[in-house]
Amino acid sequence: MGDKLRIVQVISSSVPSGAEHQVALLARQFQQKGHEVTVVCPPGGWLPEALRNQNTPCWEMPMRKGGSFFTHLKLLRRLKRSKFDIIHTHLTRGAWHGGITATLRRIPIVASVHVINHDVAFNLIPKTGGRLIAVSEFVKENLISNKVPANAIDVVYHGTEFADSNTQCSKVGVFEEFGIAENYRIIGLVGRVASDKGHLLAVQAIPKVLAKHKDTHFMFVGRVEPNFSPLLEKAIDDLGIRKAVTLTGNRSDVSRLMDAMDIMILPSKIETFGLVVIEAMGRGKPVIATRVGGLPEVIQNNLTGLFIEQEPDELADAINSLLSDPSRSKAMGEAGREWVRSRFNVPRMIEETEAIYRKMVKD
């Protein structure tokens, strides 16, 4: 295991999205390996509660507007008293807070880049001796195009625990909870409910699916962006498909809901990695997604899932093809689970991340 590391993670968001889930997962896994981990994040929201539940120390500090200045001062004071070996940041404001503190306190810094980002913070961190962790080759290439040196970037794919068990939750409870007929098949779309995630495209595909497979229900799992909600609700009503769609809102039992699904879709406009894809494949679900961003690094076309263009008819045809061929759908799900276990497992992610930490501490 090597010497114990004292790690502080800094993230500028506490909502239940991909980066925040990864922070909680990293903290838990590194603690289990005997390292000390503290997380700095905005007060309230999902993340502080999740950290408390797993006994991870959490410093809640504001990171927007006037609160940012005082957060800088607090971090500087606390990191003077508590000697940390490495600072690991997530998201743009986290990179700024962590980067300034790391420079002034002379602590090695690693910044994870989860999204396409042209902020100057990610140019400055390598200049001060820090490194960047890109969540995909797609993100790495974007950073390089933004004049970040390639030799300052490591690619570490996310890992998921969703493939760790072959035991699946019973579908019955999910069907009863949402009033879905037990003989129906569920098509799921998991993640933030927003325009860029392709929910409108999915809604537009539903009538063509129902025309061929009436025993189908669509489930959108995730928080709905307020400015997008009226547009989505209007589209559902205009197409007369209200009874065929369920919006669950935020859920803490995503793996349970995925176990009730037959197919997972992700018709996004952009995805830098697609954490939800490896989670769905980890639960043995075939995935239909748009060929964008980092998704070609995650999905094996015609083996673990299907790629489509951003067209409602293409999405509907792909869904119909898998609904009409359950054996093919099952084979894709099984292949996806094995793919996730071999390439997107948590021990691999932790090992690669720890190797970066140790290199930075040694240097």
Side-chain angles (χ1 to χ4, degrees):
M1 180 176 66
D3 296 335
K4 179 175 71 175
L5 293 172
R6 301 197 69 198
I7 305 159
V8 58
Q9 293 194 80
V10 183
I11 184 167
S12 49
S13 169
S14 291
V15 302
S17 290
E20 295 79 2
H21 278 275
Q22 286 298 298
V23 165
L25 177 59
L26 285 168
R28 184 169 68 254
Q29 289 291 323
F30 278 123
Q31 284 178 300
Q32 289 174 2
K33 292 194 69 174
H35 301 302
E36 291 186 27
V37 184
T38 298
V39 176
V40 182
C41 65
W46 173 84
L47 184 56
E49 182 66 22
L51 294 170
R52 282 190 288 271
N53 290 339
Q54 65 184 39
N55 296 316
T56 298
C58 175
W59 298 345
E60 296 182 59
M61 300 183 184
M63 296 195 186
R64 291 179 179 270
K65 299 180 179 179
S68 291
F69 175 74
F70 294 102
T71 292
H72 284 306
L73 295 179
K74 288 179 182 177
L75 273 177
L76 286 169
R77 284 199 298 268
R78 290 198 179 188
L79 268 67
K80 183 178 181 179
R81 294 195 302 266
S82 303
K83 302 298 183 182
F84 285 91
D85 297 302
I86 191 89
I87 295 176
H88 185 172
T89 73
H90 305 263
L91 306 179
T92 305
R93 287 187 178 85
W96 277 108
H97 284 291
I100 292 171
T101 303
T103 300
L104 294 176
R105 287 286 173 251
R106 297 184 179 181
I107 302 172
I109 183 170
V110 175
S112 280
V113 187
H114 298 265
V115 298
I116 296 303
N117 202 311
H118 301 289
D119 195 279
V120 70
F122 300 108
N123 296 90
L124 293 175
I125 285 174
K127 290 181 179 179
T128 62
R131 297 194 65 79
L132 305 183
I133 295 178
V135 299
S136 65
E137 293 289 344
F138 173 72
V139 171
K140 179 178 179 178
E141 290 303 316
N142 179 262
L143 289 167
I144 292 172
S145 71
N146 200 37
K147 299 182 179 179
V148 176
N151 61 6
I153 309 168
D154 297 289
V155 175
V156 178
Y157 289 130
H158 288 318
T160 178
E161 298 172 305
F162 277 36
D164 291 351
S165 172
N166 284 319
T167 304
Q168 292 206 338
C169 299
S170 171
K171 293 184 177 183
V172 176
V174 176
F175 281 67
E176 288 179 348
E177 179 181 352
F178 295 104
I180 302 169
E182 288 186 25
N183 63 323
Y184 272 46
R185 290 173 288 181
I186 296 179
I187 312 300
L189 202 175
V190 179
R192 179 172 51 88
V193 181
S195 175
D196 60 307
K197 293 295 184 180
H199 289 80
L200 279 181
L201 189 151
V203 165
Q204 292 163 359
I206 291 175
K208 189 172 183 179
V209 175
L210 295 179
K212 190 170 184 178
H213 298 281
K214 290 182 170 56
D215 59 339
T216 306
H217 194 86
F218 285 74
M219 181 177 288
F220 298 161
V221 181
R223 59 188 174 93
V224 183
E225 289 195 349
N227 61 346
F228 179 65
S229 181
L231 188 63
L232 180 65
E233 296 290 342
K234 183 178 186 303
I236 291 172
D237 288 334
D238 288 348
L239 290 169
I241 55 172
R242 174 65 58 183
K243 292 183 179 180
V245 182
T246 292
L247 283 82
T248 70
N250 274 332
R251 300 288 297 206
S252 60
D253 57 347
V254 173
S255 62
R256 170 177 171 261
L257 298 184
M258 281 185 174
D259 285 350
M261 298 172 186
D262 293 88
I263 299 168
M264 176 72 186
I265 61 173
L266 192 64
S268 301
K269 295 178 181 177
I270 185 64
E271 289 288 340
T272 51
F273 176 77
L275 178 61
V276 70
V277 169
I278 65 169
E279 291 176 340
M281 290 193 297
R283 302 311 296 173
K285 307 303 172 182
V287 179
I288 299 171
T290 42
R291 192 192 296 270
V292 297
L295 291 182
E297 300 172 49
V298 181
I299 299 169
Q300 296 173 294
N301 194 33
N302 290 312
L303 179 61
T304 64
L306 298 174
F307 279 124
I308 59 163
E309 299 299 323
Q310 284 189 308
E311 297 291 338
D313 282 348
E314 280 210 23
L315 176 58
D317 290 342
I319 293 171
N320 283 333
S321 71
L322 291 185
L323 290 176
S324 298
D325 193 348
S327 61
R328 183 188 183 205
S329 182
K330 182 180 179 181
M332 281 187 171
E334 292 173 349
R337 186 192 293 271
E338 292 308 310
W339 174 238
V340 168
R341 284 175 171 169
S342 66
R343 189 167 177 80
F344 303 108
N345 60 80
V346 172
R348 184 270 319 153
M349 177 184 69
I350 296 300
E351 179 182 350
E352 293 177 3
T353 304
E354 184 175 351
I356 296 169
Y357 288 173
R358 293 201 179 278
K359 183 179 186 303
M360 296 297 295
V361 171
K362 183 179 179 181
D363 291 347

